[in-house]
Amino acid sequence: MTSAPGQTVGPFFHLGLPFDGGNLLVPPGHPQGVRLHGRVFDGEGNGVPDALIEIWQTDPSGRVPRETGSIRRDGYTFTGWGRAQTDDGGHYWFSTLLPGSPFFAVTVFARGLTDRLFTRAYLPDPGPDALLDGLEPARRATLITTREEHGLLFDIHLQGEGETVFLSYPGQAR
Amino acid sequence: MEGKYRLAALDWSSVANVTTQADINREIEELRGSGGPQPRLDYPPYRSSVLRHPTREKHLVDPEGVELWAPCFGHADVGGTESDLTIQHAGEPLGERIVVTGRVVDGEGRPVRNQLVEIWQANASGRYWHQRDQHPAPLDPNFTGAGRCLTDGDGVYTFQTIRPGAYPWRNHVNAWRPAHIHFSLFGTDFTQRLVTQMYFPGDPLFDQDPIYQSVTDQKARDLLVAAYDHSLTTPEYRLGYRWDIVLSGTHRTPLEDS
């Protein structure tokens, strides 16, 4: 069966997609909490103020969460999924836990982006990895987060110098 | 009167680099059929895409770990009345009341059960409830234009809403978007995530809309157009539209599923 084409989220996705606490997979200040954050850049190096980032991850033990409750968080249940819009400077951030598996799965949406993009944000110093090991060093580096005092930095370059590696999966149109 | 019209025409032609609908139509025509079943990421007629599309080919990878699963949503996330966009305020919204329903299935035709569907849209006048929308059409105090629901055990979603109006934007001079409802969907795998737009049959603005036309294949574009379905129409109350949605294929094996 032919899958439905994607379409841009447009300029007004704030009406339908972001929700209070979307970026807080754990409350800020959680003892094991980290900040995963970064900026989304366009081809001229300007921050993209109308982008939306979703992350999906395992819990610290490496288990894939099967719990509901991401949209109305109870403050205790770790659902593994979050959504954050960028601010006027193109910056997004999540309060979350370090996944037990090597990467965060990331989806990128923006006005001007005709379809969503998939990528991965790897934890620093990744081990052998089928995807990373097949990339030239400069490209590989776009997928690896930088360790910081309060967590991890992951910038996303939609186009141009340092363009992030975006992914397609078997059976999908590239 | 004649002078007034001529002056208006002169106004546009005397401004350098003004892109007209005719210019956009030419660009759309040149790119027709050039892409696959998904939208072209590089689609210059949609001007905002120029600096926001990746230039490198996507890297093909086998999904692993969390990518083989989608996040779970349930009644903790979505209230039962959030699927009715006409009851969110004290009064009834203006416009044509409609029901939009359909089935969400994966690439193998299996229903996507108990999964989140989110929508947002303009009101009947073509105005979004959004700070950045400056379209001088009235807001409707009884219509926000956002809704959520969970698919049922057969993968069916249902929303009651108002038919949105056409919407003017500034991609080029006199640019108007066909009436549409934004849809956000999840499958059973992370890789099936889809955000798209549903359109109404027979819209006269289809041919000149660079967002709809960013899908350059007609058969694929047709998948975005709902069907009027009289069996869904309720006497003296609302019109019915059906829009089924096929997501991409799944990658999980039955072993991983158990």
Side-chain angles (χ1 to χ4, degrees):
Chain A
M1 297 175 79
T2 308
S3 53
Q7 293 267 271
T8 182
V9 290
F12 304 128
F13 62 80
H14 308 87
L15 176 60
L17 294 181
F19 53 91
D20 287 345
N23 63 330
L24 307 179
L25 287 78
V26 296
H30 185 286
Q32 280 83 48
V34 294
R35 179 176 67 159
L36 171 70
H37 76 124
R39 290 181 69 198
V40 182
F41 295 100
D42 71 13
E44 287 183 342
N46 296 312
V48 175
D50 37 22
L52 185 80
I53 308 297
E54 291 177 355
I55 60 168
W56 171 230
Q57 63 168 101
T58 60
D59 71 13
S61 74
R63 176 183 159 273
V64 178
R66 308 309 299 146
E67 287 79 17
T68 64
S70 295
I71 292 180
R72 292 181 190 145
R73 300 194 190 276
D74 64 12
Y76 298 93
T77 306
F78 186 74
T79 65
W81 182 82
R83 177 184 278 169
Q85 74 262 41
T86 55
D87 65 17
D88 287 350
H91 184 250
Y92 73 91
W93 67 279
F94 293 94
S95 170
T96 188
L97 302 174
L98 289 176
S101 52
F103 61 83
F104 299 87
V106 178
T107 319
V108 183
F109 307 88
R111 180 179 70 84
L113 192 55
T114 58
D115 198 7
R116 45 99 190 97
L117 296 172
F118 295 121
T119 188
R120 291 178 181 176
Y122 280 82
L123 300 178
D125 310 314
D129 182 87
L131 168 60
L132 294 180
D133 298 348
L135 296 169
E136 57 186 91
R139 300 274 288 155
R140 181 181 193 272
T142 69
L143 297 182
I144 303 174
T145 59
T146 305
R147 188 175 283 116
E148 293 185 324
E149 186 185 353
H150 298 297
L152 301 167
L153 175 68
F154 186 67
D155 287 335
I156 297 167
H157 294 263
L158 295 177
Q159 187 186 90
E161 199 174 331
E163 184 175 303
T164 301
V165 173
F166 296 105
L167 306 176
S168 69
Y169 301 100
Q172 296 184 352
R174 299 171 80 180
Chain B
M1 279 306 276
E2 195 185 315
K4 190 176 167 191
Y5 281 122
R6 203 167 60 222
L7 186 61
L10 278 173
D11 268 345
W12 291 122
S13 61
S14 63
V15 177
N17 299 324
V18 163
T19 306
T20 64
Q21 185 66 55
D23 296 330
I24 292 293
N25 290 352
R26 260 193 305 278
E27 293 180 35
I28 288 173
E29 200 50 50
E30 280 166 17
L31 291 167
R32 199 173 290 286
S34 63
Q38 292 293 324
R40 286 182 59 115
L41 293 169
D42 176 10
Y43 194 70
Y46 176 28
R47 293 294 191 251
S48 313
S49 75
V50 171
L51 288 173
R52 293 184 172 192
H53 70 272
T55 56
R56 307 283 296 251
E57 190 149 326
K58 289 179 196 167
H59 194 90
L60 182 66
V61 67
D62 285 323
E64 53 181 288
V66 280
E67 290 168 330
L68 293 166
W69 301 86
C72 292
F73 299 93
H75 297 294
D77 297 289
V78 183
T81 59
E82 289 185 64
S83 62
D84 189 344
L85 285 71
T86 70
I87 58 166
Q88 296 175 350
H89 299 273
E92 288 260 0
L94 295 171
E96 183 181 306
R97 193 184 296 111
I98 59 172
V99 60
V100 179
T101 186
R103 204 154 168 259
V104 184
V105 298
D106 68 19
E108 290 77 39
R110 294 175 297 214
V112 176
R113 302 185 172 94
N114 309 315
Q115 189 51 293
L116 179 66
V117 181
E118 299 160 284
I119 66 169
W120 70 101
Q121 62 167 94
N123 69 22
S125 307
R127 176 87 186 261
Y128 282 88
W129 191 287
H130 192 288
Q131 199 181 340
R132 288 183 202 159
D133 187 357
Q134 298 302 313
H135 174 30
L139 282 171
D140 182 341
N142 291 313
F143 190 76
T144 308
R148 293 187 189 113
C149 75
L150 298 171
T151 57
D152 69 13
D154 292 320
V156 173
Y157 72 87
T158 303
F159 290 100
Q160 177 162 276
T161 184
I162 294 294
R163 182 175 171 134
Y167 171 77
W169 59 315
R170 292 178 176 170
N171 189 68
H172 53 279
V173 173
N174 208 11
W176 289 81
R177 299 231 44 229
H180 60 279
I181 299 176
H182 295 264
F183 269 73
S184 162
L185 300 137
F186 294 80
T188 53
D189 293 16
F190 169 79
T191 60
Q192 292 170 292
R193 185 82 176 91
L194 176 69
V195 170
T196 189
Q197 301 179 24
M198 185 208 92
Y199 299 89
F200 292 85
D203 199 306
L205 298 168
F206 281 155
D207 287 347
Q208 58 189 57
D209 176 40
I211 291 181
Y212 177 66
Q213 297 289 341
S214 68
V215 182
T216 63
D217 177 78
Q218 179 72 57
K219 277 188 182 158
R221 273 199 306 277
D222 289 346
L223 296 174
L224 298 178
V225 183
Y228 172 71
D229 186 338
H230 200 65
S231 72
L232 296 170
T233 294
T234 311
E236 298 173 36
Y237 188 66
R238 66 183 190 186
L239 295 178
Y241 289 88
R242 185 176 300 282
W243 189 48
D244 295 327
I245 304 159
V246 181
L247 303 179
S248 59
T250 58
H251 298 93
R252 224 161 52 230
T253 63
L255 188 67
E256 288 165 310
D257 231 353
S258 62

